[in-house]
Amino acid sequence: MSSLWKPFSISEGPCKNVGFRGGCSQQQQQQHPPTSIPSSCWGNGNVNQTGTAAVYRSQDLFHSCSSKRTLAAAAVGGRKVTHPGKAILAGGIAGGIEICITFPTEYVKTQLQLDERATNPRYRGIGDCVKLTVQDHGLRGLYRGLSSLLYGSIPKSAVRFGTFEVLSSPMRDANGRLDNTRSLLCGLGAGIAEAVLVVCPMETLKVKFIHDQCSLRPRYRGFFHGVREIIRDQGIRGTYQGLTATVLKQGSNQAIRFYVMNSLRNWYKGDDPRRDMHPVVTAMFGATAGAASVFGNTPLDVIKTRMQGLEAHRYRNTADCAFQILRNEGPQAFYKGTVPRLGRVCLDVAIVFVIYEEVVKLLNNMWKTE
């Protein structure tokens, strides 16, 4: 903090070692007027600009200039940059809570995307998918594959926010603001990192488990049994199917989300980077960012889902998968599952950003960092 106080210390006179916050006593101010006056207080007729015999017409002027210096000092700090350790912990907590709330919408979205029949599809819509799933497997059927996503969502969000903070910290200006272009690049980096380290294997397992449930004889009895069977049959590579599509999807996902969220945050805070955002405002901005990412990259999500399903062997690569979908099902197939994904992602991003911000505030009180 010393670096913030120093520029505003009075450099001469009996109070030279006293910062602007403490200042001189009223009596000292009268006896020893400061020899240098902030330029912001010049030209108002109250101060001699030579600085050698500066005289205040009233004590109110001194308080006015002190207030300006105090505000300037606060602006130097700007938005407090989140420590990467706090970002990782807060992101993990937010991701775990969020996926437990929103998983049924993810299940329905995945089922609709896996339905490859252009005519007479298995499901007539969202409601029919939910109805048939509950009819065949009970309410627990809507949570099939949750374990794989839960085990992955915690580290996924931790990597996402941790990477974003690491990348964005050196890019912020003196006030702690991050411009929109840089937020896009940092979000892209965060999305690629989470795709390679966590999302691809997590999503592959989730899709295989959900797809397995649709078969006449489900093979996987649980998360660990399913992982063991997949690795035994296909090796570690079997958990990294659709890596290219996943990197494209997650990179564009987080680039869009962080760009929109940062743009809305900068607009809301205006010239005051320390202005607090109410959780409701954060949730609204998060939902907007989530919606933008859905409309921006659902085609990539459909391709990724097909590349990770049990029928992935039918596609030679990501481009071939996209070509077959277009040829066999038409361009509209690239937006299968958009509605349930929209509901899930808007809720997802809103919850994650709100919980993340609140957990960071709590950690700032409990965990003191520079």
Side-chain angles (χ1 to χ4, degrees):
M1 291 294 294
S2 60
S3 62
L4 295 180
W5 305 84
K6 187 174 180 180
F8 308 99
S9 300
I10 302 210
S11 57
E12 298 180 18
C15 300
K16 63 182 179 180
N17 294 325
V18 181
F20 72 92
R21 190 173 183 176
C24 300
S25 67
Q26 190 173 39
Q27 183 177 2
Q28 288 172 320
Q29 293 163 10
Q30 294 170 351
Q31 293 175 355
H32 303 280
T35 58
S36 60
I37 307 300
S39 60
S40 61
C41 296
W42 289 355
N44 55 14
N46 294 322
V47 180
N48 182 347
Q49 296 186 20
T50 63
T52 57
V55 177
Y56 288 101
R57 282 188 175 180
S58 69
Q59 197 65 28
D60 291 337
L61 179 60
F62 175 81
H63 290 305
S64 174
C65 295
S66 296
S67 298
K68 290 181 180 180
R69 292 195 301 244
T70 302
L71 290 173
V76 169
R79 177 184 179 274
K80 185 174 181 181
V81 177
T82 303
H83 187 278
K86 294 178 182 178
I88 291 171
L89 183 57
I93 293 172
I97 295 174
E98 173 273 324
I99 197 59
C100 290
I101 297 173
T102 64
F103 186 80
T105 60
E106 176 67 15
Y107 176 90
V108 173
K109 183 265 301 184
T110 303
Q111 289 283 33
L112 292 176
Q113 290 181 345
L114 287 172
D115 193 356
E116 301 181 15
R117 286 174 284 186
T119 58
N120 298 320
R122 174 180 172 81
Y123 304 114
R124 294 190 298 273
I126 298 172
D128 188 52
C129 180
V130 173
K131 177 183 175 182
L132 290 178
T133 300
V134 173
Q135 179 179 304
D136 295 340
H137 306 283
L139 288 174
R140 292 181 60 184
L142 293 173
Y143 282 88
R144 184 66 182 271
L146 171 64
S147 55
S148 62
L149 213 56
L150 181 60
Y151 297 148
S153 287
I154 294 175
K156 176 183 73 172
S157 292
V159 169
R160 175 192 307 166
F161 285 100
T163 302
F164 183 83
E165 290 298 337
V166 169
L167 294 177
S168 65
S169 292
M171 294 187 179
R172 296 183 185 277
D173 61 20
N175 290 328
R177 287 176 71 97
L178 183 68
D179 67 41
N180 297 336
T181 301
R182 291 178 177 178
S183 68
L184 181 74
L185 295 176
C186 292
L188 178 63
I192 292 174
E194 71 176 19
V196 174
L197 297 176
V198 182
V199 176
C200 189
M202 175 193 74
E203 288 283 317
T204 301
L205 294 173
K206 178 208 72 175
V207 172
K208 288 183 184 298
F209 289 164
I210 292 177
H211 207 173
D212 178 65
Q213 181 176 299
C214 300
S215 61
L216 296 177
R217 291 185 174 182
R219 180 181 176 188
Y220 307 134
R221 297 193 296 269
F223 175 77
F224 294 105
H225 177 260
V227 171
R228 186 169 64 250
E229 291 296 307
I230 291 170
I231 293 178
R232 188 178 69 178
D233 293 344
Q234 305 171 36
I236 295 295
R237 186 178 180 182
T239 64
Y240 268 89
Q241 290 178 324
L243 177 61
T244 301
T246 303
V247 168
L248 292 173
K249 180 224 172 184
Q250 291 303 122
S252 59
N253 240 353
Q254 302 314 323
I256 294 171
R257 291 177 189 177
F258 278 107
Y259 173 82
V260 174
M261 188 69 186
N262 192 70
S263 300
L264 292 173
R265 182 187 285 117
N266 287 342
W267 167 77
Y268 180 80
K269 293 191 174 185
D271 296 329
D272 182 8
R274 288 183 177 270
R275 182 182 181 185
D276 285 335
M277 286 176 56
H278 192 278
V280 173
V281 176
T282 302
M284 291 173 59
F285 288 173
T288 303
S293 69
V294 168
F295 291 115
N297 77 348
T298 289
L300 289 171
D301 190 47
V302 172
I303 295 170
K304 175 199 71 67
T305 300
R306 296 288 180 87
M307 290 292 292
Q308 292 172 334
L310 298 179
E311 301 296 325
H313 62 273
R314 296 172 47 192
Y315 311 115
R316 293 192 300 273
N317 50 45
T318 302
D320 180 60
C321 178
F323 176 74
Q324 288 197 40
I325 292 174
L326 180 62
R327 183 184 62 185
N328 299 330
E329 304 170 56
Q332 69 276 8
F334 287 112
Y335 279 89
K336 281 188 173 182
T338 296
V339 175
R341 187 181 180 223
L342 185 64
R344 180 239 190 278
V345 169
C346 289
L347 189 59
D348 164 356
V349 180
I351 291 173
V352 166
F353 273 111
V354 169
I355 296 177
Y356 175 79
E357 295 289 347
E358 295 305 309
V359 172
V360 167
K361 290 178 184 177
L362 180 63
L363 291 175
N364 284 337
N365 294 329
M366 299 172 57
W367 179 4
K368 302 300 180 183
T369 56
E370 292 298 329

